[in-house]
Amino acid sequence: MESNRQRKVAQIIQEDFAELFRKQSAESKQSFMVSVSDVKISPDLGVAKVYLSIFPQEFRASIMKEIEENKAQYRNFIGQKMAKQVRVIPHLNFYLDTALDDVEKIEKELRGEGDNPVL
């Protein structure tokens, strides 16, 4: 069960990263979208798990690799945004959120368009 403080910090991180990734994708020569689907914060506010949805799928590996390589800059960015609100800036862990892909796959299967035979 999350505390109010955890929810507030998670919301701040989610909003700030959503804006940052929106700007980065707009400035990029390639056409892609990165959305922050969820942020989970540890009870001590020391670790933040940031779940990202990246579209189209062919850019996922390269974008996740770039994000992992620049994790320190992202922590610095979030630290500047949250400096007056928290004592410790959380360590960031980025994860690829594939929930929408799973939903799409299930819907395809239910329509009979997947690999499963229709009975």
Side-chain angles (χ1 to χ4, degrees):
M1 190 162 108
E2 282 187 327
S3 68
N4 284 338
R5 184 76 174 141
Q6 284 175 284
R7 281 192 292 275
K8 286 179 184 178
V9 171
Q11 183 178 4
I12 291 168
I13 291 172
Q14 186 172 8
E15 289 171 359
D16 289 340
F17 274 131
E19 182 64 23
L20 175 69
F21 289 137
R22 186 195 61 78
K23 285 181 183 176
Q24 286 180 345
S25 62
E27 294 170 357
S28 175
K29 295 175 184 166
Q30 297 174 330
S31 179
F32 64 90
M33 182 179 79
V34 178
S35 63
V36 183
S37 56
D38 197 14
V39 176
K40 300 286 186 196
I41 300 287
S42 64
D44 65 352
L45 305 179
V47 178
K49 294 180 179 180
V50 182
Y51 295 91
L52 305 174
S53 295
I54 301 170
F55 298 100
Q57 292 180 357
E58 57 263 15
F59 293 123
R60 286 183 180 169
S62 61
I63 291 174
M64 285 302 290
K65 183 179 178 211
E66 184 178 330
I67 288 172
E68 284 297 322
E69 290 171 354
N70 296 317
K71 200 185 286 192
Q73 286 90 353
Y74 290 124
R75 186 168 186 238
N76 185 29
F77 166 78
I78 207 70
Q80 291 173 357
K81 294 284 188 174
M82 299 174 58
K84 304 250 190 276
Q85 297 162 338
V86 294
R87 290 183 189 184
V88 177
I89 304 306
H91 291 278
L92 302 172
N93 294 323
F94 293 95
Y95 299 96
L96 187 60
D97 184 10
T98 59
L100 291 177
D101 296 336
D102 298 339
V103 168
E104 183 179 334
K105 183 179 177 183
I106 291 170
E107 285 185 1
K108 271 182 144 177
E109 296 292 338
L110 290 173
R111 288 192 305 259
E113 299 172 2
D115 296 333
N116 290 336
V118 177
L119 301 177

